[in-house]
Amino acid sequence: SDDPRNAEVLLRLGLARALDGDDSGAEAAWLDAERLAPSSAAASVNLATLYEREGRTVDARAAARRALRRDPGNTVAAEILDGTREPDR
């Protein structure tokens, strides 16, 4: 069953919500996952991508910076931060 203290479950919940069009639900799940797994870049990258798609540039860049602190080689976060990534639509 779902465990609200499990970052992996929250990452998947966020993906399911995003695919269902529930961006605010996805954001909430990924923020919780980010807090529960502070060394993982996955939730931060998902948040950066979501924010970028929504046109929330400041938030996207902040999430990309958090992802890069956790995983300096993350290309998606680097592309969002430097503005070279084509946003998902």
Side-chain angles (χ1 to χ4, degrees), residues 8-64:
E8 185 64 34
V9 169
L10 290 166
L11 284 170
R12 291 178 185 183
L13 176 62
L15 178 58
R17 287 180 172 170
L19 290 172
D20 197 38
D22 179 7
D23 289 347
S24 64
E27 179 183 19
W30 289 331
L31 286 169
D32 286 342
E34 189 179 49
R35 181 180 48 77
L36 289 171
S39 64
S40 172
S44 301
V45 171
N46 290 349
L47 286 164
T49 302
L50 171 69
Y51 296 149
E52 178 190 50
R53 183 172 45 81
E54 291 180 335
R56 295 169 57 183
T57 306
V58 171
D59 293 329
R61 292 175 57 80

Side-chain angles (χ1 to χ4, degrees), residues 34 38-45 48 60-82:
E34 189 179 49
S39 64
S40 172
S44 301
V45 171
R61 292 175 57 80
R65 281 191 294 275
R66 291 192 305 272
L68 288 171
R69 280 194 300 272
R70 295 169 177 155
D71 177 10
N74 190 289
T75 57
V76 173
E79 289 172 356
I80 288 171
L81 195 57
D82 69 19

